[in-house]
Amino acid sequence: MQLNAYTMKLRRDVFQALADPTRRAILLLLASQSMTAGAIAANFDSARPTVSKHLQILTECDLLAQEQSGREIHYFINGKKMKEVAEFIEPFRSMWEGRFSKLEALMKKYKI
Amino acid sequence: MQLNAYTMKLRRDVFQALADPTRRAILLLLASQSMTAGAIAANFDSARPTVSKHLQILTECDLLAQEQSGREIHYFINGKKMKEVAEFIEPFRSMWEGRFSKLEALMKKYKI
DNA sequence: AGATTAATTAGTAAATTAGTTAATGAGTCG
DNA sequence: CGACTCATTAACTAATTTACTAATTAATCT
């Protein structure tokens, strides 16, 4: 079997999915409501198959789920998957919001 | 609203930097203390110039800052930049932690 | 049935990325 | 000064990503 971009197993994790600005815009679009592939694509300049591909990538890594109704496919966000990203940045939170963040930064820097 | 290359952020941004697992590991390493390039590289199998490149990318997008001391370069995290990621995730938070997340999801889905 | 619509899959080209080894720059120390 | 060390830059390759047009699948409408 010939392997191509569609059949090959590629690296697909949440962070890689978020790396593309179009995909982030899709997620923000869907934050308020679910939409069909066509309605989503209407918000972008890219060709429809391009948006379709982005939707597939987001779905593969579980950031989106789909539900077919007739010939339309509705896409909606899987909030739980976003949690993975939130958990990654959690250890850094104190670095931008704590009162003592500057002091802490210095202490870390000089390994006190 | 039409989203295009003007309204979207271009490459080499925080999200693109986080897409690589080695770079995420570097950030986690530095979460507890600053380290020299050599000490960081010692934690990975990649060749040193490879790690150096990752450090450069992380520095370019301000996730890391560097400070030279003699011939060593100390790298440390710029927590504020992480905030950008946190802010992107924020609108989705209710989707994984709210009591009513399932109900909300349904309401959004059917645009009630 | 035939035409239309919604969306994906296929195939291909261009750009970007991550990795390598070799070479270079710049402190440190005998 | 010359050898050694820390780290980056240069040059190159292989793999991956993103994009497009054309073709296909499947549901709906007249």
Side-chain angles (χ1 to χ4, degrees):
Chain A
M1 175 188 162
Q2 190 86 24
L3 292 180
N4 56 41
Y6 286 88
T7 50
M8 265 189 299
K9 193 143 203 182
L10 303 171
R11 193 185 70 203
R12 288 268 182 264
D13 60 37
V14 184
F15 293 95
Q16 197 272 334
L18 289 179
D20 185 273
T22 301
R23 288 198 287 268
R24 290 199 299 279
I26 289 173
L27 291 171
L28 289 172
L29 256 183
L30 294 176
S32 55
Q33 63 188 257
S34 80
M35 293 170 81
T36 65
I40 294 166
N43 287 276
F44 299 93
D45 293 334
S46 306
R48 286 235 353 211
T50 305
V51 176
S52 209
K53 184 77 186 142
H54 283 308
L55 291 172
Q56 184 192 302
I57 289 169
L58 288 166
T59 305
E60 265 173 19
C61 76
D62 285 326
L63 278 168
L64 292 186
Q66 46 185 196
E67 183 168 315
Q68 187 129 11
S69 98
R71 61 189 158 177
E72 292 178 336
I73 297 180
H74 291 261
Y75 284 90
F76 52 97
I77 287 191
N78 173 15
K80 287 210 178 66
K81 201 66 182 182
M82 279 296 183
K83 198 179 176 183
E84 276 186 23
V85 183
E87 278 164 3
F88 175 82
I89 39 179
E90 205 47 43
F92 304 98
R93 178 170 293 275
S94 64
M95 297 178 139
W96 76 74
E97 68 179 14
R99 269 187 302 170
F100 301 116
S101 57
K102 270 185 191 165
L103 176 59
E104 279 171 0
L106 275 173
M107 288 173 72
K108 280 167 184 167
K109 193 171 156 191
Y110 296 108
K111 305 183 191 178
I112 300 169
Chain B
M1 179 188 47
Q2 197 84 21
L3 296 175
N4 57 37
Y6 286 100
T7 49
M8 292 185 295
K9 264 200 168 164
L10 300 171
R11 300 228 77 83
R12 210 25 70 84
D13 62 9
V14 184
F15 293 95
Q16 198 273 331
L18 289 178
D20 185 273
T22 302
R23 289 198 286 268
R24 291 200 298 279
I26 289 173
L27 291 171
L28 289 172
L29 255 183
L30 295 176
S32 54
Q33 63 188 255
S34 81
M35 294 170 80
T36 65
I40 294 166
N43 287 274
F44 299 93
D45 292 334
S46 306
R48 288 236 351 215
T50 305
V51 175
S52 212
K53 218 170 204 174
H54 284 309
L55 291 172
Q56 186 191 302
I57 288 170
L58 289 166
T59 305
E60 262 172 23
C61 75
D62 286 325
L63 278 167
L64 292 186
Q66 46 184 199
E67 183 166 316
Q68 187 128 14
S69 98
R71 60 190 159 178
E72 292 179 334
I73 297 180
H74 292 261
Y75 284 89
F76 53 97
I77 287 191
N78 173 16
K80 288 213 176 67
K81 202 66 182 179
M82 281 292 184
K83 198 179 176 184
E84 276 186 24
V85 184
E87 277 163 4
F88 175 81
I89 306 290
E90 206 47 44
F92 304 99
R93 177 170 294 275
S94 64
M95 297 178 138
W96 76 75
E97 66 179 17
R99 269 187 303 170
F100 301 116
S101 57
K102 270 185 189 163
L103 175 59
E104 280 171 358
L106 275 173
M107 289 173 72
K108 279 168 184 168
K109 192 171 156 190
Y110 296 108
K111 307 182 190 179
I112 301 167

